Amino acid sequence: MKNIRIKAGHGHRESHVKLVHVNAASGSYYVYIGVDYKSAGAYAKNLRFDGKAFIVTDSNVYPLYGDEMASALRNEGFDVDMLVLPAGEEHKRLESVSSIYEALHRHGMTRSDLVFALGGGVVGDMAGFAAGTYMRGVPYIQVPTTLLAQIDSSVGGKTGVDLEFGKNLVGMFNQPVKVLIDPSFLKTLSAETTADGMAEALKYGLIRNAELFESLAEDDGEIDFIGLIHTCVEIKNQVVSNDERDTGERMILNFGHTIGHAIEKCGNYTKYTHGQAVAIGMVREAAIGEALGVTPAGTSERVRKAVSKFGLPADADESPADIYEALLSDKKKSGDDINFILLERIGHAVISRIPVSRIRPLLEERIIPATTQGSQ
């Protein structure tokens, strides 16, 4: 595995904070990259919030940052309460969201108050969904603590939970009012959790920025994480601003996720992390593109080498039959087709509608005839 060293940049001085303005159809907001998370209260007050604040976090993040975050908000005059959820994708369920509702009620939260999602992608997804549905909408701020959440899931407004029969099948588009990204959180991540984020970073390079992919795949130097986060957030912003509701261009962000989500489900959301499943999915979906004649030969091997460089798996031992059955409940399924994201080349992705009946032969034999329907 590549030894990932964090280049911290210039600290938290305001002059070095990078801004990305997300202009989604349902509302615009700023992503602040390079802030001190303890300044969250000041950023909230700039939005004219000064009443109650509620922090949603998990059992991994709370011991490290929970009390300091609460104290920082209290110092800005907020009446603060907090809920600590058990960590892990297996807890990303409606039962956890129900516990958030109960805690918001006990704290007397109203639509003029503010929820803070302090955690990784699971916390951000659940807190954003709970905030968007409690009282038909309480504003929230994302304070992502993992690399994956900082470069991907905290931006764009996708929120929700898993059901027993599929991932992210209940949810809503609910944009935050701000995203505050503190790169110092990355210093307390495990190597595995950091690698999860690198899977999403590689994805951004593969679908939209060949230079980014090449630098991550080939360079062995220190990674400038502030620069990496900024590049990925800018790409996501461009896509989300054009297609907030995931009906067109935004689908390209799902590269690796169609098979990846199926693999997560096969492992009961505990065997593979999200980043590991996406890494496997990217390798396999690149191979699908090659089999269809869309993706240049050899691309899947380049993807395999890149994910392996960061200690990510390139294949899974789940049976093709189990992966196929899991795919059938994917929300990207449309009628008898599934939308797959394929690579025309590294740095450029396209959307292809592939009949479900043609997927199983590929999973079992790695063979699909070199034609497809509905490529865009």
Side-chain angles (χ1 to χ4, degrees), residues 16-275:
H16 294 101
V17 172
K18 294 180 181 290
L19 288 179
V20 177
H21 182 224
V22 179
N23 190 26
S26 65
S28 65
Y29 55 94
Y30 283 97
V31 180
Y32 295 78
I33 303 166
V35 303
D36 183 342
Y37 78 98
K38 293 186 292 294
S39 65
Y43 281 98
K45 293 189 83 169
N46 286 341
L47 290 172
R48 301 186 184 279
F49 289 101
D50 59 5
K52 293 184 178 181
F54 193 89
I55 302 168
V56 180
T57 189
D58 69 20
S59 54
N60 287 339
V61 175
Y62 169 72
L64 297 170
Y65 306 111
D67 287 338
E68 282 196 50
M69 176 80 166
S71 295
L73 292 174
R74 290 189 182 104
N75 289 340
E76 292 291 339
F78 286 91
D79 176 8
V80 182
D81 201 358
M82 180 170 10
L83 178 66
V84 182
L85 297 168
E89 181 79 29
E90 66 270 27
H91 299 292
K92 188 179 164 183
R93 297 299 178 97
L94 286 169
E95 293 82 0
S96 296
V97 172
S98 181
S99 70
I100 299 174
Y101 294 149
E102 292 170 5
L104 293 175
H105 173 71
R106 287 195 301 269
H107 192 47
M109 293 287 286
T110 71
R111 288 189 288 183
S112 62
D113 297 316
L114 195 56
V115 172
F116 289 83
L118 177 67
V122 171
V123 166
D125 282 4
M126 289 196 294
F129 180 56
T133 50
Y134 186 71
M135 292 188 170
R136 296 196 177 98
V138 176
Y140 76 109
I141 288 178
Q142 289 272 16
V143 188
T145 60
T146 65
L147 179 61
L148 188 152
Q150 291 183 355
I151 67 174
D152 186 66
S153 63
S154 66
V155 179
K158 278 190 177 180
T159 70
V161 296
D162 305 333
L163 298 178
E164 182 179 352
F165 39 86
K167 185 176 173 71
N168 294 331
L169 292 183
V170 174
M172 67 182 299
F173 293 94
N174 182 30
Q175 301 294 344
V177 294
K178 261 187 174 61
V179 180
L180 304 176
I181 295 176
D182 185 343
S184 72
F185 286 137
L186 304 183
K187 295 179 180 179
T188 56
L189 298 182
S190 67
E192 180 182 82
T193 304
T194 302
D196 278 352
M198 295 310 299
E200 292 285 357
L202 288 167
K203 177 199 77 176
Y204 279 108
L206 287 164
I207 65 171
R208 185 54 72 90
N209 188 324
E211 183 179 348
L212 172 62
F213 176 78
E214 298 293 348
S215 67
L216 293 174
E218 304 298 334
D219 293 351
D220 290 320
E222 187 175 61
I223 295 174
D224 172 10
F225 276 93
I226 291 180
L228 176 63
I229 294 164
H230 184 246
T231 297
C232 293
V233 170
E234 282 280 20
I235 293 171
K236 187 160 192 180
N237 176 41
Q238 293 164 12
V239 174
V240 169
S241 295
N242 292 333
D243 174 28
E244 180 182 12
R245 296 283 173 162
D246 208 14
T247 58
E249 182 184 1
R250 185 169 180 166
M251 291 183 190
I252 68 169
L253 299 175
N254 293 324
F255 176 63
H257 288 61
T258 304
I259 290 177
H261 284 175
I263 288 170
E264 282 187 272
K265 181 184 175 185
C266 289
N268 294 315
Y269 303 105
T270 57
K271 183 175 180 180
Y272 303 96
T273 66
H274 178 67

